Amino acid sequence: NAHRWIFIGKLINFQPSEIAKFSLVILYAHWMSINPGSVRRIEGLIPYGCVLGVIILLLIAEPHLSAMVIVVGMALIMLILGGLNLRLLGAAVVGGVPLGLLVIFVMGKWDRLMGRLQVWWNPEADARGDGWQTLQSLYSIGSGGLMGTGIGNSRQKYLFLPEPQNDFIFAIVCEELGLIGACLILAVFALLIIRGYWLALHARDKFGALIVVGITTLFAFQVFANVAVVTNLFPVTGISMPFFSYGGTALIIQMAEM
């Protein structure tokens, strides 16, 4: 019952959360560049918190808890690098985490959250139900071995692993290209992320630096979260692998960000 897309007629549909991520990066970078001292004062943080709060509420309503975590993480990194007072950060974390859990409970998403956690802790307990996707993903990774089965030779993508072209495409990559191929792909992502932060350090102005930091942080979080979900380090959730996962909105926005 997730509602993460907006449909316009029969031909056009898009995922607003992807646009919200990019928009938040640009907005935060703009505000912090024209008023650098705003993030050092409580009253200065109010506009940042209001915009972030609206996005979080909409993501909880979809529900899209993984996007919420990524947006919050990206916003915190940008605020810290923009000069956020660490005492204010500590107070925000201490007050924000219980408040976020309370909002999730009030909006009726608590059972969904706890269900995901239970499957994560023990997917074998419901191997033919909610644990199916996690177990099939692990089978895919294990089947690849060191060298992989070869491009196009995956078995798991034939009605065993759900969403093999989208959220769980990295499991198929591991199966077809093996440990060596998967590590090479992660190395390329690591180089892209390192290059992004290098560009931010050498940007000519604060606005450019913060935009690059925000975009690079988004990519870093998404790559890490996707790999963590596929390998069952994180609970199963809808995080795409940048440039690999099938999809329209995410790919278009990622190319625009680049």
Side-chain angles (χ1 to χ4, degrees), residues 9-28:
K10 295 182 178 180
L11 297 178
I12 300 175
N13 64 83
F14 63 93
Q15 201 165 0
S17 60
E18 295 295 333
I19 301 172
K21 295 174 190 175
F22 195 13
S23 302
L24 193 66
V25 169
I26 296 173
L27 182 63
Y28 270 26

Side-chain angles (χ1 to χ4, degrees), residues 132-133 135-143 149 153-164 171-172 175-176:
W132 174 269
Q133 193 170 27
L135 293 175
Q136 296 302 318
S137 175
L138 296 176
Y139 295 158
S140 298
I141 296 170
S143 299
T149 59
N153 293 329
S154 166
R155 303 290 193 276
Q156 292 298 109
K157 65 185 179 184
Y158 294 111
L159 303 181
F160 290 101
L161 176 63
E163 296 296 325
I172 303 301
E175 184 180 4
E176 295 189 352

